[in-house]
Amino acid sequence: MTAGFDYREAGTAGATSSVALSHLSVELAHLFPEDLAEDALTRYFARVTPWVETTAALARSRAAKARISTCVLVVDHADGSGRPRDVIPRIQEAAKHSGFAVDYLARESALTGGPAREVFDHIVPEPHPGTTGVRPLLDANGWLCTGKRSPTAGGAPAMSGAEWQPPVQTGARHAIFIDAELRDSADGSWSVTLLRAVWQLLRLGLLRPADARLTAPEPVGTLPETWPELPPVVRLTERPGPLCAYQSFSVLPSRFLEVEVAADLIMSMVRLAPEVDDQVVRRAGMEGITLPAEPQDRISHAFLATDPP
């Protein structure tokens, strides 16, 4: 009996905002400064082309008028990232050389503020069976794991009989223990794994950040001298499918494999407003599409072997 009181979790009240949704979002690249040289971009996009064509064909086989968009994520906050007015035309030209276009370009630094904080604050770690869940808060340790790590005997006296114990993954018969860094304990910066989770959730239409330009990108306009002058996500083509989509596909170099595994782990423990996911699932259903229950299962990847020198 609540005597007329209505208890709700803070932040869940109010109407759920809506975003435009494609059938498929194809991420062509996550570009660090060392990837931005013209010859490196041209070689990379040439290798990406078969994946783009195959994935687009699969999407069209499921929906004759499939809405498909392409995007790249640029690490704009690192030394050597260059000027947007130089870098963006270089990316566009390299893609065009391989026969496709980049519809959207996003700045990674735009994910580091409110969106990263929102995802971090909605992580609900899964306690390992037999434990009390007493582990330092995420804000204190900045790490998220899949189970119980191997206890260290580093402080035990020699010949004390302390035995090594294996790590254990929660709920798995054969454990693959992962301890993923979320933020740097020294300077508090967000890890690349958390930012990848933010980016994937954003593309799946499950994050509705306060800055609506992240989900409704603006046309690029005149290219500025510096990255902060550029909107967080810009539209580079005339009428592409929406940035957000029911499902996403990322083509990445193999060096991102572990990062994406850790990002999947993070997403599996993020509990965002259920109304948002319900809205996306319902709209997909109205188009005859049944989405997997878990957001991370709506993401596909292709990992490219290391580019030969």
Side-chain angles (χ1 to χ4, degrees), residues 133-155:
V134 177
R135 175 181 162 110
L137 296 175
L138 293 180
D139 253 335
N141 70 6
W143 289 80
L144 183 68
C145 71
T146 55
K148 183 179 180 182
R149 67 164 52 86
S150 175
T152 176

Side-chain angles (χ1 to χ4, degrees), residues 239-279:
R239 292 182 179 178
L243 169 72
C244 304
Y246 298 133
Q247 293 178 291
S248 69
F249 177 69
S250 293
V251 189
L252 298 165
S254 57
R255 68 176 188 267
F256 281 94
L257 195 155
E258 291 169 325
V259 172
E260 289 298 297
V261 170
D264 278 4
L265 162 66
I266 295 169
M267 284 186 281
S268 73
M269 297 190 190
V270 171
R271 302 290 180 265
L272 296 170
E275 295 86 355
V276 174
D277 188 51
D278 290 346
Q279 182 192 77

Side-chain angles (χ1 to χ4, degrees), residues 30-49:
H30 184 163
L31 298 169
F32 282 71
E34 60 269 26
D35 304 318
L36 295 173
E38 183 175 352
D39 56 344
L41 284 169
T42 302
R43 287 199 309 273
Y44 177 77
F45 281 130
R47 300 175 66 204
V48 165
T49 303

Side-chain angles (χ1 to χ4, degrees), residues 169-205:
Q169 180 183 354
T170 302
R173 182 182 177 200
H174 298 288
I176 301 174
F177 181 84
I178 298 173
D179 215 343
E181 185 184 41
L182 303 174
R183 64 186 314 169
D184 189 291
S185 57
D187 62 13
S189 60
W190 302 111
S191 69
V192 66
T193 54
L194 183 84
L195 295 179
R196 285 299 306 178
V198 173
W199 176 232
Q200 297 285 19
L201 290 169
L202 190 76
R203 290 169 61 216
L204 291 175

Side-chain angles (χ1 to χ4, degrees), residues 113 225 232:
E225 284 281 331

